[in-house]
Structure formats: structure tokens, C-alpha cells
Amino acid sequence: MNRVGIGYDVHQLVEGRKLFLGGIEIAHAKGLDGHSDADVLIHAIADAILGALGSGDIGHHFPNTDERWRGVSSLVFLKEIRRMLEKRGATLENIDASLVAEAPKIGPHIARMKAVLGEALGLAPECVGLKATTNETMGFLGRGEGIAAMAVACVSLPK
Ligand SMILES: [Zn+2]
């Protein structure tokens, strides 16, 4: 039985933070604000997988009131979610995600993000879809005030 899930996340870009996207650090004047490393792409992917499992969201499983998750790499969340998949006897089939960022340029980093995400989720590179676009200078994303990400995930579960 196949299940799909959707995830969306957005974080503010602020000074004095490192920028983490898709599990890698990217050189940029600003970083995303949040309790963990604020990796908006991983958070959207995590919510998509949790959605496919019908199992709450990232805020439920990894609350920002929990000191355990302060400053932690969001790759840790994927590791935990992989454990949840295993527990349910579920297989993650593929993920597909889009980043919306005015800056920095995401294109040059996509191959590395795909490799890191694939490794973290046990997916072959061709099962990790990843695209990036700008918001055409419109709105808060277009002004570079933050970065948004959306993702879908397909999970197969035993009958
Ligand atoms: Zn988030």
C-alpha cells in the first residue's frame, strides 16, 4: 500500500547564523533562524514523510521546547524518522522537494544535497528529487527575508 505525504516549512534569514540546507553548510552572509540548525529543506522532507505515515509533524516529534534538539543538525531528525519507518515496516520510495530562495544560488549545491539526503534516508540519488527556484523578487521570500521549502514523500506500507 502506497501512501504520500506533503510538507512545507519556512524560516527567517538572519545575521549571525550559519546556513544549512539539505544537510550541508552553504557559505552565505545570513543563516536560517530556528531552534535546531533550521534546515528548512530537511524540515519539509521530514514533515512529508511523517505525513505519509499519518504520524503528526516535526514539531510534535522534535519540539523546539526540548533542549535535546537545540542547535542540532536536522539530519538527526531524518535518522529518527528512518527508525519510525523501520518500526512500521515501511519503505520510503522517493521524495521530491522544491526550495524557494532568492539567494544564495542553490543550483551549484544540489548534487551534494541529493547525495547527503539520499545517504541519510537510504535512498538512491534518482529517488531524491530536488529543485530550486526564486520568488521572482516578490513578497518576503523575494526580498530575501527567508527561505521556504516544500516536499512530498511516497512510503509503502505492508498491507
Ligand atoms: Zn523548520
Side-chain angles (χ1 to χ4, degrees):
M1 185 176 31
N2 283 336
R3 299 262 191 90
V4 294
I6 185 171
Y8 172 79
D9 196 24
V10 61
H11 283 261
Q12 222 174 338
L13 274 169
V14 295
E15 269 162 39
R17 294 265 302 179
K18 288 180 173 175
L19 178 61
F20 292 94
L21 285 174
I24 67 169
E25 189 182 334
I26 295 175
H28 192 50
K30 294 178 176 180
L32 294 171
D33 198 19
H35 184 69
S36 62
D37 66 0
D39 191 322
V40 68
L41 177 58
I42 289 187
H43 294 183
I45 291 167
D47 265 353
I49 300 168
L50 290 170
L53 289 173
S55 179
D57 63 17
I58 193 168
H60 170 78
H61 291 282
F62 313 104
N64 61 14
T65 49
D66 191 332
E67 282 306 308
R68 253 187 312 169
W69 315 122
R70 181 180 292 282
V72 84
S73 165
S74 294
L75 286 167
V76 169
F77 302 153
L78 294 186
K79 204 185 275 181
E80 293 290 325
I81 286 169
R82 233 179 131 176
R83 206 164 296 151
M84 291 177 209
L85 285 162
E86 268 164 37
K87 238 167 131 182
R88 295 271 296 270
T91 306
L92 181 62
E93 299 291 348
N94 77 301
I95 57 165
D96 187 24
S98 290
L99 267 170
V100 187
E102 212 62 30
K105 284 257 170 290
I106 305 297
H109 306 288
I110 289 217
R112 229 172 99 226
M113 287 184 200
K114 280 177 76 158
V116 169
L117 292 170
E119 169 79 28
L121 291 166
L123 287 174
E126 66 267 25
C127 298
V128 181
L130 188 50
K131 294 91 62 198
T133 184
T134 69
N135 217 42
E136 298 279 339
T137 73
M138 294 180 290
F140 69 93
L141 293 169
R143 290 189 296 270
E145 292 169 17
I147 294 178
M150 54 206 91
V152 292
C154 179
V155 166
S156 62
L157 281 158
K159 281 248 174 180

